[in-house]
Amino acid sequence: MSLQPWFRDAKLGVFVHYGVYAVDSVAESWSFYTGEVSHERYMSQLDRFTAVRYDPGAWADLFARAGARYAVLTARHHDGVALWGSAQGGLDVVRHTPAGRDLLAGYASALRERGLRVGLYYSHSDWNHPDYPTLVHPEPPAHDDVLASAYVTPQDGVEDPVAWDRYLAYRDGQVAELIDRYRPDLLWFDGEWERTPRQWRMAELAALIGDAAPDTVVNARLTGHGDYATPEQGLPVRAPDGPWELCLTVNDSWGYRRGDDRHKSVRSLVRYLTETVGMGGNLLLAVGPREDGTFTAAQTDRLTGLGDWVRVHREAVYDTVAGAPPGHHYGPSTLSADRRTLYLVCFDAPREAVTVRGLRTPVRRVTVLGTGTELGHRVVGGLHEVPGTTVIDAPDPRDVDPYATVLVVELDGELDLYRGTGLR
């Protein structure tokens, strides 16, 4: 695999956790694993999953309006319930739920019709497969007691290599089906912590994907073979090395949870997006449809509100690279691909001025993105090799965006920043 240029330029995606867990609005897979609900109750949701109002075209329209350039849908979570009719056995919504149909084909087609890239989530683990709990992790991770779970590990400690071979054939067969049927632009793996890369035979799976779909982007949970890192639920203080993506829920839940009203505001989502992009990453924003396939008004409003901001400020979002490091500007910034335009994001209304420290490249012009209003600017101070501070006049209140104002700093050459201590 190799990271395709579209991924770095996309900046915003939508992460959709959709499955039988939406019927009773319980946590996806984890609710039976941790004992929040009984396994019997969780699995009873299969009988009531209808997807009766699922409209992939409406989904794609919403994602496009949000400003996303790709989406990732949970083709199969840890509960093992596939959203397509798999020939590999196991559970799927075609044979085992009233929905009775493939939910991936329409999704992939609808996204492509609107110019969006198609991502599919797939968990290495399957807590319902009889051949899965047949191996013991030699050095289990501290964050998850996999050795204590009967869904993961043989409780008598006796391994069954033949059963494990069958499981890997099932997993590899399903991944091959996803590639062959839907030609995803991105495969988003999960569940890798429950085995070692050698136990998973990650190298062999990577070879399978590379041979069948060499242009498919893969996340780092194809351990040792992924294209980009995937921090979750919190913006890192320092950007991971190489390409990366922050996956973040709109409220506190990945899938649909009826009582979860802790939705992030549009202003907060704009902040997350600009801070992530300003550090060189993508934001993968997670939402969870109801059982019938529809999104709540609260989640729809957040997506459309974010999209409204992105449309006005698209120049500062798409096809950019990380901006100035912290300390040069009090807020995130992005840089045009040719490195000749710096976009300064201001979360609060500037009062007197906006300043940029350490800017060596002369400034040609400064305008407010979205209104085009030109702002005065000047350089104050500076000595020898230490450049002065670039001072930009605060925009008029009429030019201030309610969520985040972006100033376009056109440079007379490529961005050149002083990173020294100022000492002689």
Side-chain angles (χ1 to χ4, degrees):
M1 289 76 64
S2 61
L3 190 70
Q4 300 300 302
W6 72 260
F7 182 82
R8 285 186 182 271
D9 294 337
K11 306 305 180 185
L12 178 61
V14 177
F15 203 0
V16 187
H17 281 64
Y18 186 41
V20 298
Y21 38 85
V23 173
D24 290 338
S25 76
V26 296
E28 62 293 330
S29 305
W30 288 100
S31 54
F32 76 81
Y33 182 94
T34 62
E36 176 189 339
V37 301
S38 69
H39 182 264
E40 181 181 12
R41 177 189 163 189
Y42 185 95
M43 300 311 295
S44 74
Q45 296 175 106
L46 286 166
D47 299 330
R48 292 170 283 136
F49 182 74
T50 66
V52 67
R53 298 175 64 192
Y54 170 57
D55 181 351
W59 281 21
D61 287 340
L62 176 61
F63 303 161
R65 185 175 172 190
R69 288 190 166 180
Y70 66 108
V72 178
L73 173 60
T74 48
R76 181 173 74 63
H77 208 267
H78 315 316
D79 62 10
V81 182
L83 298 190
W84 78 101
S86 176
Q88 305 304 314
L91 298 169
D92 65 62
V93 299
V94 178
R95 294 176 298 160
H96 299 99
T97 76
R101 64 190 187 282
D102 182 328
L103 302 182
L104 298 186
Y107 158 84
S109 296
L111 261 59
R112 290 198 169 100
E113 287 172 4
R114 291 152 182 83
L116 305 182
R117 297 286 181 166
V118 175
L120 295 174
Y121 166 111
Y122 184 86
S123 175
H124 295 289
S125 57
D126 182 340
W127 295 334
N128 270 308
H129 197 287
D131 292 329
Y132 185 63
T134 56
L135 218 58
V136 178
H137 195 306
E139 296 179 354
H143 67 76
D144 192 294
D145 191 5
V146 298
L147 298 184
S149 174
Y151 298 114
V152 180
T153 304
Q155 293 305 284
D156 58 5
V158 179
E159 297 186 309
D160 185 344
V162 174
W164 183 246
D165 286 345
R166 287 198 302 265
Y167 179 77
L168 290 183
Y170 155 79
R171 179 205 62 179
D172 293 351
Q174 287 201 325
V175 172
E177 284 180 345
L178 293 177
I179 292 171
D180 182 59
R181 296 187 192 182
Y182 313 109
R183 310 304 298 178
D185 300 290
L186 185 152
L187 283 169
W188 209 104
F189 287 102
D190 200 8
E192 80 295 342
W193 70 89
E194 294 190 332
R195 300 284 187 264
T196 67
R198 182 170 182 155
Q199 289 174 320
W200 282 126
R201 298 177 199 163
M202 290 294 193
E204 291 85 344
L205 179 58
L208 181 158
I209 298 168
D211 289 343
D215 293 334
T216 298
V217 174
V218 179
N219 73 339
R221 299 180 194 189
L222 185 70
T223 314
H225 302 276
D227 297 313
Y228 68 94
T230 54
E232 289 187 28
Q233 291 291 60
L235 192 70
V237 175
R238 183 181 67 83
D241 295 331
W244 62 283
E245 167 195 79
L246 171 64
C247 45
L248 179 82
T249 53
V250 167
N251 51 7
D252 286 343
S253 307
W254 297 102
Y256 171 66
R257 298 300 298 270
R258 190 173 296 108
D260 185 357
D261 296 322
R262 290 169 54 87
H263 293 85
K264 298 170 181 66
S265 66
V266 173
R267 178 176 286 104
S268 176
L269 296 177
V270 168
R271 180 182 288 264
Y272 272 112
L273 174 63
T274 54
E275 290 182 334
T276 301
V277 175
M279 294 171 66
N282 287 3
L283 177 63
L284 184 63
L285 192 58
V287 291
R290 302 180 186 94
E291 172 275 326
D292 65 2
T294 61
F295 291 99
T296 66
Q299 296 206 345
T300 299
D301 289 346
R302 266 63 178 185
L303 291 177
T304 55
L306 178 61
D308 290 342
W309 185 89
V310 169
R311 257 187 304 282
V312 174
H313 303 91
R314 59 185 297 118
E315 179 186 332
V317 176
Y318 302 126
D319 307 321
T320 60
V321 297
H328 291 278
H329 162 63
Y330 293 104
S333 62
T334 60
L335 186 63
S336 60
D338 65 3
R339 302 185 61 82
R340 299 174 70 95
T341 305
L342 185 64
Y343 301 95
L344 307 177
V345 180
C346 304
F347 294 129
D348 299 314
R351 296 186 179 180
E352 182 179 350
V354 175
T355 59
V356 183
R357 294 187 293 177
L359 181 57
R360 284 192 176 119
T361 318
V363 174
R364 293 180 53 247
R365 190 169 74 130
V366 181
T367 56
V368 180
L369 187 57
T371 69
T373 301
E374 189 165 350
L375 304 177
H377 60 90
R378 58 201 174 279
V379 177
V380 176
L383 180 65
H384 303 310
E385 76 277 8
V386 182
T389 298
T390 299
V391 179
I392 302 168
D393 294 339
D396 186 275
R398 292 171 295 183
D399 290 310
V400 172
D401 186 273
Y403 298 138
T405 304
V406 179
L407 306 186
V408 183
V409 182
E410 300 175 30
L411 305 173
D412 191 16
E414 293 188 13
L415 177 69
D416 183 15
L417 295 173
Y418 174 75
R419 301 286 290 160
T421 63
L423 299 177
R424 299 177 64 178

